[in-house]
Amino acid sequence: MKKFFLLICLAFAFSQTTNAQVSFGLKGGINYNSNSIENVSEDVFSGAKSKTGYHAGIWLRFKVPVIGLYIRPELIYTNLENSVTYNNTSSSYKFQKIDVPVLLGKKIFGVGNIFIGPSFQYVLDSDFGFDDISDIDTSGFTAGLTFGGGIELGKIGIDVRWERSFSGIESSFARTAATNVNFDTRVNQIIIGLSYRL
């Protein structure tokens, strides 16, 4: 993560002298995690349903003129939420992570673009809205695949992407009976984003 921040700082400085090759900006939007909570080791949760989440962050774009493509790394904060039922009580499960997609893209028809690439994810925090569920342990680092497309009109861009984890995000919590409950918060989401080029 520290190397990625250093890359951003260098790219911002470099862009001052090579604006034709490097651009950067801000982005945000909504996320829909379609898989919700799954693979529970005990019959603990029921009625797990996804809610719309959100994301916000920054992006860089490096043009590769020789092959007509671009590389676009991003640093994104994502907040997802699921509605779950536990002991006949409904509440929410909140899930926060940092995403670092590194996309390879191509401009098409002047205003459009398509892209694909890996997405590296680090889980910051997760929490249930139940008083008797605490000490949630979530695996910190996962990787996935992102692809999609969008359009750019001047400095404004809109894109739609699909993101799928290569592996599940294993989580667990301790019950009052001193037994652990394992569950999977695998990310499989549709992302709609709005970006602004600075």
Side-chain angles (χ1 to χ4, degrees):
M1 191 62 72
K2 290 181 180 179
K3 291 182 179 179
F4 185 79
F5 280 114
L6 178 60
L7 174 63
I8 289 177
C9 292
L10 291 174
F12 270 63
F14 183 67
S15 67
Q16 301 305 309
T17 57
T18 58
N19 285 328
Q21 298 299 314
V22 181
S23 56
F24 60 92
L26 308 174
K27 75 181 306 287
I30 59 174
N31 301 50
Y32 180 76
N33 181 25
S34 62
N35 256 27
S36 199
I37 296 173
E38 60 180 31
N39 299 334
V40 181
S41 62
E42 301 179 33
D43 187 16
V44 178
F45 301 120
S46 64
K49 297 179 180 178
S50 297
K51 293 184 177 181
T52 302
Y54 63 87
H55 70 274
I58 57 177
W59 56 270
L60 297 170
R61 183 166 61 201
F62 303 87
K63 293 182 181 178
V64 188
V66 176
I67 57 176
L69 302 176
Y70 64 82
I71 298 173
R72 175 167 162 157
E74 301 176 349
L75 181 63
I76 308 295
Y77 167 81
T78 299
N79 185 296
L80 299 172
E81 187 172 339
N82 296 318
S83 174
V84 297
T85 300
Y86 171 71
N87 288 340
N88 297 318
T89 302
S90 295
S91 188
S92 62
Y93 173 70
K94 297 180 180 179
F95 184 74
Q96 302 170 41
K97 63 191 180 85
I98 293 292
D99 292 315
V100 185
V102 182
L103 306 172
L104 181 65
K106 181 174 179 57
K107 297 275 287 184
I108 55 174
F109 306 122
V111 297
N113 59 78
I114 54 175
F115 48 80
I116 188 171
S119 178
F120 305 99
Q121 305 152 8
Y122 182 77
V123 178
L124 295 173
D125 191 24
S126 59
D127 187 31
F128 284 97
F130 301 104
D131 294 335
D132 55 344
I133 295 182
S134 59
D135 301 322
I136 301 169
D137 183 23
T138 301
S139 58
F141 180 81
T142 62
L145 177 69
T146 299
F147 70 86
I151 59 172
E152 292 183 9
L153 301 173
K155 293 186 175 183
I156 302 295
I158 300 174
D159 65 61
V160 178
R161 26 180 112 174
W162 176 74
E163 178 185 284
R164 174 64 172 169
S165 288
F166 290 142
S167 60
I169 300 175
E170 297 298 332
S171 304
S172 65
F173 66 88
R175 302 188 75 182
T176 55
T179 59
N180 283 345
V181 174
N182 298 315
F183 59 99
D184 179 5
T185 53
R186 188 184 306 267
V187 175
N188 179 21
Q189 57 181 340
I190 301 295
I191 305 168
I192 301 174
L194 178 68
S195 63
Y196 180 77
R197 178 167 49 86
L198 298 174

